[in-house]
Amino acid sequence: MALLPILHYPDPRLRKIAKPVTRFDERLRALVDNMAQTMYDANGVGLAATQVDVHERVIVIDTSDTRDQLQVFVNPRILGASPVRRLSEEGCLSVPGVYDEVERPESVTVEAEDERGRTFRLEAEQLLAVCIQHEMDHLTGKVFVEYLSQLKQTRIRSRMRKLDRDIA
Ligand code: NI
């Protein structure tokens, strides 16, 4: 397993559209393992392949307190969403240190394949529902800060540029 570098907003590679996975092979399983390790190492609850510059529809999530309930979503699709929307605070490993409220449907029904190609369906609510929607946005090139006001986005971009300068 290996830790993968995480792209930071506003890196233009975060805007790429991920392609569906067609081969459920060892390469995919290695990607999933590396993404999981990268997510746990960074103390995140979710990571999309886009964030590690792999433009395929793969997401890993673990919303458990014990950090041992990995959920893998390959080619995820939303089958239904609650008409009730709820504000909740989000953060993102690609935008470190930034947290803000985003409004989304409070529950979603999602279907996906696991890393072996087995299809499953689940009803997600609360943090898991937020997380699935947040990570699926990454697969279509969207970062959560794009839901915020233009003023906030401008501030976040300059803050991130300074952070990346300080790291470099
Ligand atoms: Ni994110």
Side-chain angles (χ1 to χ4, degrees):
M1 290 203 284
L3 292 178
L4 306 170
I6 299 174
L7 300 178
H8 281 171
Y9 176 82
D11 191 308
R13 290 171 289 182
L14 287 169
R15 307 191 69 86
K16 289 193 183 179
I17 311 287
K19 293 194 167 68
V21 169
T22 53
R23 293 161 65 107
F24 293 82
D25 55 7
E26 285 308 314
R27 189 201 60 89
L28 173 67
R29 286 186 280 279
L31 171 65
V32 166
D33 284 348
N34 292 337
M35 284 174 59
Q37 194 188 8
T38 301
M39 174 185 73
Y40 287 125
D41 181 73
N43 263 315
V45 292
L47 186 71
T50 308
Q51 294 176 273
V52 293
D53 202 20
V54 174
H55 301 282
E56 298 174 35
R57 295 184 58 79
V58 180
I59 288 168
V60 295
I61 290 176
D62 189 341
T63 56
S64 70
D65 292 331
T66 46
R67 313 291 289 148
D68 59 359
Q69 302 293 318
L70 182 69
Q71 290 179 286
V72 178
F73 300 82
V74 180
N75 300 335
R77 50 264 178 203
I78 300 280
L79 301 182
S82 165
V84 180
R85 298 170 69 86
R86 181 170 297 199
L87 267 180
S88 58
E89 192 176 73
E90 298 189 20
C92 180
L93 294 177
S94 292
V95 202
V98 173
Y99 301 88
D100 212 324
E101 287 194 314
V102 175
E103 188 186 270
R104 301 183 188 270
E106 69 170 3
S107 65
V108 289
T109 304
V110 61
E111 188 176 74
E113 277 70 55
D114 68 11
E115 69 276 23
R116 304 209 167 261
R118 294 173 295 215
T119 301
F120 64 95
R121 191 178 286 194
L122 68 82
E123 187 87 35
E125 49 187 24
Q126 299 182 351
L127 178 58
L128 180 58
V130 171
C131 205
I132 288 170
Q133 295 176 79
H134 174 119
E135 302 309 333
M136 284 183 70
D137 276 349
H138 279 301
L139 301 179
T140 58
K142 186 161 186 171
V143 177
F144 85 102
V145 298
E146 290 163 40
Y147 290 102
L148 308 177
S149 69
Q150 287 300 329
L151 177 63
K152 280 185 176 176
Q153 290 183 48
T154 303
R155 284 184 185 154
I156 291 166
R157 278 195 297 271
S158 64
R159 177 175 170 169
M160 292 303 301
R161 288 202 180 92
K162 180 174 187 310
L163 179 74
D164 283 333
R165 266 202 310 276
D166 291 347
I167 292 169

